[in-house]
Amino acid sequence: MTDHVLIERPEAHPGVQVIRFNRPEKKNAITRDMYAKMTNALTVASTDPAVRATAFLGTDGCFSAGNDMADFLAFAMGGSMGMEVIEFLRALATATKPVVSGVDGLAIGIGTTIHLHCDLTIASERSVFKTPFVDLALVPEAASSLIAPRIMGHQRAFALLAAGEPLTAGEAVDAGLIWKIVDADAVERETLALAGRLAKKPPEALRIARDLVRGDRSEVLARIDEEAKHFAAQLKSAEARTAFEAFMRR
Ligand code: COA
């Protein structure tokens, strides 16, 4: 069976752990198993002194199309959502070492909101950031309803999270969602080099600097839980089920 998330430690970049989406045939849509594997990798990063920075990467032309729609539909039809998503979000929000990301192409749903928890994100010009939560009768997640308005202001956060308006890479830089734009064929190289530079810095000073910049995480964790309650309720709604079925029927 193909491994849909690859965890790598590139020799050329000591101290870097890569979490790579590897499900291009489904636009790197994220299943419960994939969340569980990423949570494990983030936990390892926090505890293993050999890991000094984590880098999220996708595949050529696609970072991630967000949560797997089949999983959403299974839950809407009465199945269990499990704890995988919420555990991943908590691990991401409480990561103790730098997290960076490299985006080339589609970044949808959690494929966009994940970057709110990354310290530096590099993207190609052709990248598109979009969160169609409300169009799917869902609500914002990953504490995006708290973090996004803080970094980009109400109007841009509302456009992204509630109106589902896409952001180009340039708009994402202007909004403070991502750090900078590079050529598509340089995204991976530059992201790994960036993580490698962070991995070489004095770890304790970097940890303190990061904690100071990020601030208190308890509010973020509380918002993740609050959003998750609404999200779960909406997933069970008739309007959400209609939206998932429409996607699966296309
Ligand atoms: N969950 C499950 N499967 C997904 C998926 C998702 N989130 N996104 C894409 N896929 C699958 C498609 O079903 C398709 O599978 P198939 O070839 O077996 O039919 C495959 O990935 C390719 O997707 P396709 O829609 O044909 O590619 P596209 O380039 O025309 O469109 C997207 C790409 C991402 C714009 C479109 O697939 C899409 O809107 N996906 C849903 C994104 C979303 O709403 N995510 C949840 C956010 S909360």
Side-chain angles (χ1 to χ4, degrees), residues 23-27 29-30 65-70 72 106 108-110 130-133 136 138 141 231 247-248 250:
R23 200 188 176 204
E25 71 283 4
K26 293 286 183 188
K27 304 284 177 191
I30 310 173
N67 202 97
D68 189 284
M69 296 288 259
F72 274 166
L106 287 171
I108 303 187
I110 196 165
K130 183 172 156 74
T131 61
F133 298 125
L136 294 170
L138 299 174
E141 38 68 311
F231 203 98
F247 178 79
M248 301 310 287
R250 291 170 327 146

Side-chain angles (χ1 to χ4, degrees), residues 96-225:
T96 57
K97 295 173 190 169
V99 181
V100 304
S101 49
V103 178
D104 175 34
L106 287 171
I108 303 187
I110 196 165
T112 282
T113 55
I114 197 172
H115 310 295
L116 295 167
H117 299 273
C118 292
D119 301 300
L120 292 164
T121 297
I122 289 174
S124 63
E125 188 77 62
R126 65 180 173 176
S127 298
V128 178
F129 299 85
K130 183 172 156 74
T131 61
F133 298 125
V134 173
D135 293 323
L136 294 170
L138 299 174
V139 300
E141 38 68 311
S144 55
S145 64
L146 178 75
I147 304 170
R150 283 186 179 167
I151 64 170
M152 58 183 83
H154 172 80
Q155 298 242 342
R156 281 190 287 192
F158 189 89
L160 178 70
L161 299 174
E165 294 288 334
L167 287 181
T168 63
E171 288 165 344
V173 171
D174 290 345
L177 176 66
I178 69 171
W179 181 43
K180 69 171 181 178
I181 298 171
V182 300
D183 288 343
D185 61 6
V187 167
E188 174 158 339
R189 189 175 67 243
E190 296 229 5
T191 304
L192 291 176
L194 177 63
R197 291 199 296 279
L198 290 171
K200 286 196 185 108
K201 296 197 186 290
E204 186 58 9
L206 184 57
R207 184 190 65 74
I208 296 167
R210 183 172 183 270
D211 275 354
L212 289 167
V213 173
R214 285 235 153 246
D216 181 15
R217 247 67 68 83
S218 58
E219 206 184 350
V220 171
L221 289 171
R223 184 61 67 96
I224 286 173
D225 287 349

